Amino acid sequence: MKHLNCFLTVVFCVVALGLMPIAAVHAQSGHETLEVAQNSGAVREILVEGTQRIEPDTVKSYLLIQVGDSFDPSRIDRSLKSLFATGLFADVTLRRRGDALIVNVVENPVINRIAFEGNVEITSEDLDTEVALRPRVIYTRTKVQNDVKRILGIYRGSGRFAATVEPKVIQLPQNRIDLVFEINEGDPTEISNIRFVGNREFSDSRLRGVIRTKETTWWRFFSSDDKFDPDRLTFDRELLRRFYLSDGFADFRVVSAVAELTPDRKDFFLTYTVEEGARYQFGKVDVEVRLRDLKVEDVADAVDFEEGDWYDVEQVNKAIIALTNRVGELSYAFIDVRPRINRDRENKTIGIIFEINEGPRVFVERIDISGNVRTQDSVVRREFRLVEGDAFNSAKLRRSRQRIQNLGFFESVKVERLPGSAPDKTVLKVEVEEKSTGQLSFGAGFSSTNGILGDIGVSEKNFLGKGQEISLKLTIAARKSEIDFAFTEPYFLDREIRAGVDIFRVSQDLQDLSSYDTNRTGLALRGGYRITEDLSQSWRYGLRISKVSDIADDASTLIQAAAGTETTSEVSHTLLYDKRDNRLAPTQGYFVRTQNTFAGLGGSIRHFRNSATFAKFFPLADQMVLSISGGGGYIFGIGEDVNVLERFFVGGDNLRGFANRGIGPRDTNTDDSLGGEWRYTGTVQLDFPIGLPAELGVGGRVFTDIGSAGKLSPTASFVEDTGSLRMGVGTGITWKSPFGPVGIEVALPVIKEKFDVVEYFRINFGTRF
């Protein structure tokens, strides 16, 4: 019996162990059956809770599960994400209650008002135009954070990287809010230091003068260039590239431009890493022509540089334009000028062959102009070197853009080439952004010639949007007063003729120099036009009434004989050939000007006057320019003596070391300057930097001036008129200050006559606001 019980126990255990997996399988199967049963139930109803402004049907439209669908967890999850993606809700929950799907939402509030607090440097109006949120728009945290980034971007663009923005929400009834951006502008983030790594040919100081970004110093209170701007940093890289490429460094590149912000977010340290590379000269320069009947000698002289000159990419671009224009003048419509570069790294030369090929046959179908709200279309269109129907030429297109920009009417000019209605047609789209062209100016200064002076002027460069110029200026000085009115039509009779009228009155006190006063009142009609790109011609008719008055009792008898009023009616002709690289601050090139004036078309004055001036500029080294200039003139009366007001006077600005009217025929008894019927002057001058930062605009110069004036008819025994050479040598500095240009010169007359009036120190300064 005992053995039987043991046997049964063993059998029971074995059976139990065998049945356990089967039981487990049945249990799991039961659980799955239950879950499937729960998911497989259909949605009989969808209930939306928590809505205030939004209709329940609107909420249901965003769901990806509808009545009749099964309770699919995946679709419920995607419905939840869909509701959040609308940006209408701050919170959403979905749950099952029986056969109903309950959607509970918390709506985002509506913005009632947006305000800015703490902003001083940037107005609330400017900030409001930048933010995306608006009153009556749904509030979301994402949109607020995006607007915070926009506001910070504005402040960083104005150089305030320490600015912070904290959005605050003020709860209002009916689920509305006021949104307030609390701004702490912080101090301007200044540029503490700019340095360059890798530069050998040019010093850090020189390169700082090339880039637009500047170090912060006390005198830059009128400039924002010492505030960090990432876009300006990119522009600086391009300025450095142009600078080096124009001076022969063809391999130059900016490796990096790094801006490091100090931990207190008050200062930036800028580091430009550059690779200058070798300096190249032009190698063989040649022109290859691949157009029928066109000869190389017909166009070769359009290239201004030659073998041995330092390589200059700007000269290459100018040569491309010059060749394009020259070939176009020879009646070739479709041309393409491309430079073929042959770089010899061993000999450090760059040979260039300009290939003149036939270009693609594409015509200008249409020119569209936009953005000119005030300026008439015709003003922009007449600056184009291309018109509808012309053969398209990329060089002329670039020149057209430059001419439009040179008008000075627009902040920006964009020219795009778009496909036309056919493959051989193109549309030129011009987008301009206008700027203010009117100016009201007030000025003050001092001149060694005229003493303390002040002026006020009003001008408009784009009168009535027609591109016409009109100005009125009043100048009052210790020894001279002047009022001028001028009107100019740059395209007279729809031709490239610059015509205008001037009306003036000038009163001058010459008591200290010649013992009399003068008054001149008159008008002038003028017109000028270009014969070529460098040669221009102009004509002028003038009518003026001149009066010599208030003659001192002890004045020269020759001056007293000139008392009274004279009328002058004259016509002038001027030719100007100008090859300077810059008319305001030339560094190379030259110009020659001649003028002939005939007086006698009515009036009481009859004479013929001839004059000529010239200047040549030589770049000796970086920022060092040698100039040689001079001029001369001759006047003779027609049937009468030359009036004292028409004679030549030399001294002062045109012969330093001598006072204004300091040389020439002079009455030795009264010391009055009488003027001469001929004159000449000449100058050799070297302009150079004096070691100060280039952006200060301070430059030095040394000079030698020569000149003379002579011949007087009638004359007398008490008149000194030697006609001998005079010479002055000296030095000076010019400062382009924030208050206007300041010029100081010290000169010593080394060749003079005993009766000359000398002047050792000369100063000119002034400003205009």
Side-chain angles (χ1 to χ4, degrees):
M1 188 68 180
K2 182 177 180 181
H3 293 289
L4 180 60
N5 290 336
C6 290
F7 173 76
L8 292 174
T9 301
V10 171
V11 171
F12 178 77
C13 291
V14 171
V15 172
L17 290 172
L19 293 176
M20 284 180 64
I22 300 173
V25 170
H26 280 287
Q28 182 177 353
S29 177
H31 176 75
E32 290 178 351
T33 302
L34 178 61
E35 183 176 316
V36 170
Q38 291 176 342
N39 290 341
S40 62
V43 177
R44 303 300 180 190
E45 185 180 13
I46 298 177
L47 299 177
V48 179
E49 300 176 351
T51 55
Q52 298 181 22
R53 301 180 312 277
I54 303 172
E55 294 293 330
D57 287 343
T58 302
V59 178
K60 293 177 183 179
S61 67
Y62 292 114
L63 296 175
L64 301 180
I65 185 170
Q66 301 297 327
V67 173
D69 295 340
S70 62
F71 282 94
D72 183 355
S74 174
R75 298 180 69 178
I76 292 175
D77 181 64
R78 285 187 287 126
S79 297
L80 184 69
K81 293 177 180 178
S82 175
L83 288 170
F84 272 116
T86 63
L88 299 173
F89 309 107
D91 190 23
V92 179
T93 59
L94 280 77
R95 69 179 189 278
R96 180 177 180 177
R97 188 168 64 197
D99 290 337
L101 177 63
I102 309 301
V103 181
N104 191 283
V105 297
V106 177
E107 293 182 3
N108 274 324
V110 174
I111 297 174
N112 176 65
R113 183 175 64 94
I114 298 176
F116 304 92
E117 294 182 356
N119 55 307
V120 177
E121 296 297 325
I122 301 178
T123 65
S124 297
E125 290 77 12
D126 291 339
L127 293 174
D128 190 58
T129 59
E130 292 294 330
V131 297
L133 287 171
R134 291 287 180 268
R136 295 184 297 279
V137 171
I138 302 297
Y139 167 91
T140 67
R141 291 183 180 179
T142 301
K143 291 180 180 179
V144 171
Q145 292 304 318
N146 289 337
D147 279 347
V148 168
K149 292 179 181 178
R150 289 189 181 96
I151 296 172
L152 290 175
I154 297 172
Y155 276 97
R156 288 174 180 174
S158 64
R160 293 179 178 268
F161 281 76
T164 59
V165 180
E166 185 70 26
K168 295 294 179 68
V169 173
I170 301 174
Q171 298 290 342
L172 299 175
Q174 300 177 349
N175 200 25
R176 295 177 301 121
I177 63 165
D178 284 342
L179 178 60
V180 181
F181 292 98
E182 293 185 354
I183 300 171
N184 180 8
E185 295 183 325
D187 295 326
T189 308
E190 300 175 338
I191 298 175
S192 178
N193 180 262
I194 300 176
R195 63 174 183 163
F196 297 85
V197 177
N199 53 310
R200 300 184 309 275
E201 294 292 330
F202 300 98
S203 66
D204 283 16
S205 176
R206 178 67 182 102
L207 295 181
R208 290 190 194 104
V210 173
I211 61 176
R212 179 74 177 273
T213 305
K214 306 298 180 185
E215 291 180 351
T216 301
T217 51
W218 64 269
W219 65 77
R220 292 204 179 90
F221 46 84
F222 285 132
S223 173
S224 62
D225 290 342
D226 59 346
K227 307 298 186 294
F228 178 73
D229 184 348
D231 294 333
R232 192 185 299 131
L233 204 65
T234 303
F235 183 54
D236 288 341
R237 297 170 68 113
E238 178 62 19
L239 290 177
L240 287 170
R241 190 186 73 85
R242 293 180 189 174
F243 174 73
Y244 272 94
L245 288 179
S246 64
D247 205 30
F249 295 89
D251 296 329
F252 172 82
R253 70 187 187 98
V254 180
V255 178
S256 64
V258 179
E260 299 175 89
L261 184 63
T262 57
D264 59 4
R265 306 182 73 84
K266 291 184 178 181
D267 295 286
F268 269 103
F269 293 86
L270 303 186
T271 303
Y272 297 86
T273 303
V274 302
E275 287 184 4
E276 292 181 330
R279 193 180 187 192
Y280 289 81
Q281 292 177 306
F282 280 112
K284 182 181 179 181
V285 180
D286 202 356
V287 178
E288 288 186 1
V289 176
R290 300 178 182 177
L291 297 177
R292 181 181 299 177
D293 298 329
L294 180 64
K295 299 178 181 180
V296 172
E297 51 267 26
D298 294 335
V299 296
D301 61 341
V303 180
D304 281 342
F305 56 87
E306 58 187 15
E307 185 175 354
D309 293 345
W310 290 112
Y311 175 77
D312 186 348
V313 69
E314 292 297 327
Q315 291 295 325
V316 176
N317 292 333
K318 289 179 180 178
I320 293 173
I321 296 174
L323 286 169
T324 302
N325 292 336
R326 178 67 61 83
V327 177
E329 291 169 0
L330 298 174
S331 302
Y332 291 86
F334 303 98
I335 55 175
D336 182 28
V337 179
R338 294 191 179 185
R340 191 170 73 235
I341 306 297
N342 181 20
R343 183 176 306 191
D344 186 344
R345 298 185 183 275
E346 182 178 350
N347 296 317
K348 304 297 186 293
T349 62
I350 296 178
I352 297 183
I353 299 176
F354 293 96
E355 297 179 352
I356 303 178
N357 303 299
E358 184 175 4
R361 293 181 174 271
V362 178
F363 297 88
V364 178
E365 179 180 11
R366 193 174 68 252
I367 299 176
D368 295 334
I369 303 171
S370 62
N372 53 320
V373 178
R374 178 166 171 262
T375 306
Q376 296 181 5
D377 271 17
S378 58
V379 174
V380 179
R381 200 172 293 273
R382 68 195 183 191
E383 298 301 323
F384 260 87
R385 302 297 87 183
L386 297 165
V387 297
E388 282 94 344
D390 279 358
F392 174 78
N393 185 293
S394 58
K396 290 184 177 181
L397 181 63
R398 289 192 298 268
R399 177 62 178 156
S400 299
R401 182 194 174 281
Q402 186 62 50
R403 287 173 61 91
I404 297 171
Q405 189 74 61
N406 290 344
L407 288 173
F409 304 162
F410 308 111
E411 196 72 43
S412 64
V413 178
K414 296 180 181 179
V415 180
E416 292 182 272
R417 179 186 173 188
L418 303 176
S421 59
D424 63 343
K425 294 182 180 180
T426 186
V427 174
L428 303 181
K429 181 181 179 182
V430 184
E431 291 186 23
V432 298
E433 180 184 350
E434 292 185 322
K435 67 178 182 181
S436 175
T437 54
Q439 183 181 33
L440 176 64
S441 63
F442 301 90
F446 175 83
S447 165
S448 294
T449 301
N450 297 316
I452 298 174
L453 59 89
D455 67 54
I456 180 173
V458 58
S459 63
E460 171 58 59
K461 295 189 297 182
N462 189 15
F463 185 60
L464 300 178
K466 297 180 179 180
Q468 299 167 337
E469 301 173 17
I470 187 170
S471 65
L472 179 64
K473 181 180 178 181
L474 172 65
T475 301
I476 300 176
R479 292 187 287 271
K480 183 178 181 181
S481 298
E482 182 175 359
I483 183 169
D484 293 285
F485 171 81
F487 174 82
T488 302
E489 167 57 67
Y491 274 77
F492 184 62
L493 299 177
D494 291 327
R495 296 180 180 272
E496 212 166 334
I497 300 175
R498 189 175 180 85
V501 59
D502 302 308
I503 302 174
F504 60 90
R505 178 176 175 81
V506 182
S507 300
Q508 196 167 8
D509 179 358
L510 299 172
Q511 293 291 339
D512 294 338
L513 303 173
S514 300
S515 300
Y516 64 89
D517 295 340
T518 67
N519 291 289
R520 300 187 184 191
T521 304
L523 64 85
L525 304 175
R526 49 185 164 79
Y529 48 87
R530 287 188 179 274
I531 300 174
T532 67
E533 193 69 23
D534 302 316
L535 179 63
S536 60
Q537 185 176 38
S538 60
W539 299 84
R540 180 181 183 273
Y541 170 75
L543 177 65
R544 65 177 179 271
I545 300 173
S546 305
K547 182 180 181 182
V548 177
S549 60
D550 296 331
I551 300 176
D553 294 335
D554 57 352
S556 171
T557 57
L558 297 178
I559 296 293
Q560 293 179 5
T565 302
E566 302 286 355
T567 302
T568 305
S569 175
E570 64 183 18
V571 60
S572 300
H573 167 256
T574 303
L575 279 174
L576 172 63
Y577 189 72
D578 196 341
K579 295 286 289 184
R580 289 174 292 180
D581 61 340
N582 187 304
R583 295 194 175 187
L584 297 178
T587 60
Q588 62 182 358
Y590 64 91
F591 78 88
V592 178
R593 179 188 291 110
T594 63
Q595 185 177 66
N596 314 105
T597 303
F598 170 72
L601 302 175
S604 58
I605 297 293
R606 289 174 175 80
H607 64 244
F608 192 76
R609 180 199 301 263
N610 299 283
S611 62
T613 56
F614 76 93
K616 172 72 174 175
F617 302 89
F618 306 89
L620 300 184
D622 184 42
Q623 295 183 292
M624 292 184 64
V625 179
L626 175 68
S627 61
I628 301 175
S629 60
Y634 181 77
I635 184 172
F636 60 88
I638 302 176
E640 61 183 37
D641 296 327
V642 177
N643 187 274
V644 64
L645 297 181
E646 309 299 332
R647 297 176 192 150
F648 296 106
F649 293 90
V650 178
D653 291 330
N654 59 5
L655 184 57
R656 290 161 289 189
F658 298 86
N660 188 37
R661 298 188 175 212
I663 72 167
R666 184 176 298 276
D667 187 325
T668 56
N669 293 331
T670 63
D671 203 31
D672 289 332
S673 176
L674 304 175
E677 296 177 14
W678 59 260
R679 63 97 182 171
Y680 67 84
T681 58
T683 297
V684 177
Q685 179 168 301
L686 177 64
D687 293 272
F688 54 87
I690 61 175
L692 295 176
E695 66 267 21
L696 283 180
V698 180
R701 58 183 173 273
V702 292
F703 55 83
T704 298
D705 290 352
I706 62 170
S708 186
K711 191 181 180 183
L712 181 65
S713 180
T715 188
S717 59
F718 49 78
V719 174
E720 289 282 3
D721 180 13
T722 64
S724 61
L725 173 72
R726 274 76 154 190
M727 177 184 292
V729 297
T731 184
I733 62 171
T734 298
W735 176 31
K736 298 176 183 177
S737 75
F739 308 101
V742 178
I744 301 174
E745 292 173 326
V746 178
L748 178 67
V750 295
I751 300 178
K752 63 178 181 177
E753 296 290 344
K754 60 182 180 180
F755 55 85
D756 292 338
V757 180
V758 300
E759 181 182 70
Y760 299 103
F761 183 77
R762 193 168 188 83
I763 182 171
N764 291 283
F765 74 84
T767 184
R768 182 169 286 113
F769 303 95

